[in-house]
């Protein structure tokens, strides 16, 4: 099983599933996400997408998402 988890295919599927779930949750939580924010979210690693999934539970507006994404950029840089 661990060999399977290390394959590129498995990682891609995991990423796509996490991304799809997070995008649906964001839509439901804070409404529509503009294309600029979608591009930023699509550039996140699978771990960051999963962390966003947890963080969005505290979001009340799109501004919370923008702040979270900006914090991710400053931590990487």
């Amino acid at each position: 099983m661990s060999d399977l988890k290390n394959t590129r295919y498995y990682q891609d599927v995991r990423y796509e599933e996490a991304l799809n779930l997070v995008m649906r949750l964001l839509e439901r939580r804070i409404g529509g996400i503009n294309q600029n924010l979608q591009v930023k979210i699509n550039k996140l690693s699978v771990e960051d997408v999963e962390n966003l999934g947890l963080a969005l539970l505290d979001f009340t507006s799109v501004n919370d998402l923008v702040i979270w994404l900006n914090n991710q950029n400053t931590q990487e840089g």
Side-chain angles (χ1 to χ4, degrees), residues 55-69:
L56 72 83
L57 296 173
D58 296 325
F59 293 177
T60 58
S61 70
V62 173
N63 192 49
D64 293 329
L65 173 61
V66 170
I67 292 168
W68 189 91
L69 288 169

Side-chain angles (χ1 to χ4, degrees), residues 2-48:
S2 64
D3 289 339
L4 174 64
K5 289 182 179 182
N6 292 328
T7 65
R8 177 73 179 174
Y9 177 76
Y10 179 88
Q11 294 299 317
D12 288 346
V13 169
R14 179 177 168 214
Y15 176 79
E16 287 299 321
E17 288 180 351
L19 184 62
N20 288 334
L21 177 59
V22 166
M23 293 305 290
R24 289 193 326 260
L25 291 172
L26 282 169
E27 178 74 28
R28 180 132 189 196
R29 183 76 178 169
I30 59 176
I33 305 297
N34 69 43
Q35 187 173 358
N36 184 39
L37 292 176
Q38 288 179 4
V39 168
K40 289 181 179 183
I41 293 168
N42 288 338
K43 291 180 180 180
L44 296 173
S45 69
V46 68
E47 290 82 13
D48 286 339

